[in-house]
Amino acid sequence: MELSEIYIVLLFLVVFLISISFLIFFYIRKLEKKIADYNQENLIKYQRSRLENSVYEATEKLVLDDRHFADLNHLILDASAYKDLTSKLNVPNRSYFEELGIKEEDFYIQKKLATCLMPFSKKYKSIYDVIVHSCSFNGFKCRRTDDELIENNSNLRRFIVSLILQAEVVIAVIDGRNPNVMYEVGLAHAIGKLVIIVVKRDNSNEIPENLKGNRLVVYRSEDDLYEQLNHTLAAIEYEK
């Protein structure tokens, strides 16, 4: 092999090694960015979870007092009290839904579907399990608004509204006064859905008379919730 050919081969090897080095460099940078984004996302989720838990704990202490409990929840309690248990199977003005991309064919009721509105904090998992068990016992399929992985907030809102639209009954856990749950409860009320409000009370406190609406389940334990919710779901009548 001539000297010039050796130089060409060496030059090719050098160029090849440099190219490989650049590829490895950019791959490592891209991987580092993904790791950084992942860590940042997890940090935000962790901080949000800590903040929500702190709010829930503070709210639970605050609502131990009967007067404060009524003050904090009066809008929902007023809407829940003195109402019958008739499930209305029709929907009013549809412009709001059209803006979300919800079409005519989406306006249907799934027989025996209960949509559960509640905080997604892990501390409420056992409560959700009780609700699912009670729904199943009464022939209802229970779905929650985090059942599916949603790409963005717009699609999430459409998914939540669709679940509320399709439900025969909406069960809302207002423990912690989660703003998303409050928004969804207001939406369900505006649509005209049958909404059952679920909220926990301290065992040592007597339930005020004005909180004993037909659509309000004030429970003292998970067993109590299961018993009361069974009774409430069994009492539902349907519009003919």
Side-chain angles (χ1 to χ4, degrees):
M1 181 179 291
E2 295 183 3
L3 186 59
S4 59
E5 293 176 341
I6 294 175
Y7 284 148
I8 292 174
V9 171
L10 290 175
L11 180 61
F12 175 78
L13 288 174
V14 170
V15 172
F16 177 75
L17 290 174
I18 291 174
S19 300
I20 292 297
S21 299
F22 271 108
L23 288 175
I24 293 174
F25 172 76
F26 285 118
Y27 175 78
I28 292 175
R29 289 293 301 272
K30 186 176 181 180
L31 186 61
E32 288 176 343
K33 185 178 184 303
K34 283 186 177 181
I35 293 174
D37 291 343
Y38 176 78
N39 290 336
Q40 179 68 17
E41 182 179 355
N42 281 345
L43 177 61
I44 292 173
K45 288 181 178 178
Y46 172 73
Q47 291 175 337
R48 178 180 176 181
S49 177
R50 285 191 59 188
L51 179 60
E52 286 186 350
N53 286 334
S54 297
V55 171
Y56 295 151
E57 290 172 3
T59 302
E60 285 177 355
K61 293 179 181 178
L62 183 61
V63 298
L64 291 179
D65 177 83
D66 290 345
R67 181 174 58 83
H68 287 157
F69 179 89
D71 288 341
L72 285 172
N73 297 288
H74 68 94
L75 291 178
I76 291 178
L77 296 173
D78 289 346
S80 300
Y82 312 116
K83 303 291 183 180
D84 59 25
L85 284 172
T86 300
S87 179
K88 299 178 181 179
L89 306 183
N90 62 319
V91 178
N93 189 297
R94 301 184 180 185
S95 60
Y96 172 83
F97 311 106
E98 292 170 354
E99 292 175 0
L100 286 177
I102 297 176
K103 301 178 181 179
E104 182 74 23
E105 55 265 28
D106 298 319
F107 284 81
Y108 66 94
I109 305 297
Q110 288 191 24
K111 188 175 181 180
K112 288 294 185 178
L113 172 64
T115 293
C116 183
L117 312 176
M118 65 183 302
F120 298 150
S121 174
K122 292 180 179 178
K123 67 180 294 183
Y124 297 111
K125 182 182 183 304
S126 61
I127 298 302
Y128 181 57
D129 291 341
V130 171
I131 293 173
V132 170
H133 188 193
S134 179
C135 285
S136 178
F137 181 79
N138 287 276
F140 284 87
K141 176 183 178 182
C142 184
R143 295 190 66 187
R144 197 164 69 167
T145 51
D146 65 340
D147 281 346
E148 295 184 14
L149 181 62
I150 308 301
E151 295 177 357
N152 54 58
N153 287 337
S154 176
N155 289 337
L156 175 61
R157 190 154 63 101
R158 181 166 63 248
F159 177 70
I160 291 172
V161 173
S162 295
L163 273 187
I164 294 174
L165 276 172
Q166 295 166 12
E168 281 194 358
V169 58
V170 173
I171 301 172
V173 179
I174 64 170
D175 294 330
R177 299 186 75 239
N178 182 284
N180 289 325
V181 174
M182 296 300 183
Y183 174 86
E184 292 158 8
V185 167
L187 179 60
H189 277 143
I191 292 173
K193 289 292 178 177
L194 168 60
V195 181
I196 299 173
I197 302 294
V198 172
V199 64
K200 185 177 182 180
R201 291 301 314 277
D202 182 75
N203 290 331
S204 63
N205 285 285
E206 181 179 355
I207 301 174
E209 186 65 29
N210 65 341
L211 301 185
K212 298 178 180 178
N214 290 330
R215 289 157 57 178
L216 179 67
V217 174
V218 181
Y219 69 96
R220 299 183 181 277
S221 66
E222 292 179 7
D223 289 340
D224 182 36
L225 171 59
Y226 181 72
E227 182 178 346
Q228 288 198 58
L229 195 53
N230 278 344
H231 178 76
T232 303
L233 291 173
I236 294 177
E237 298 179 357
Y238 295 95
E239 189 177 59
K240 297 180 180 179

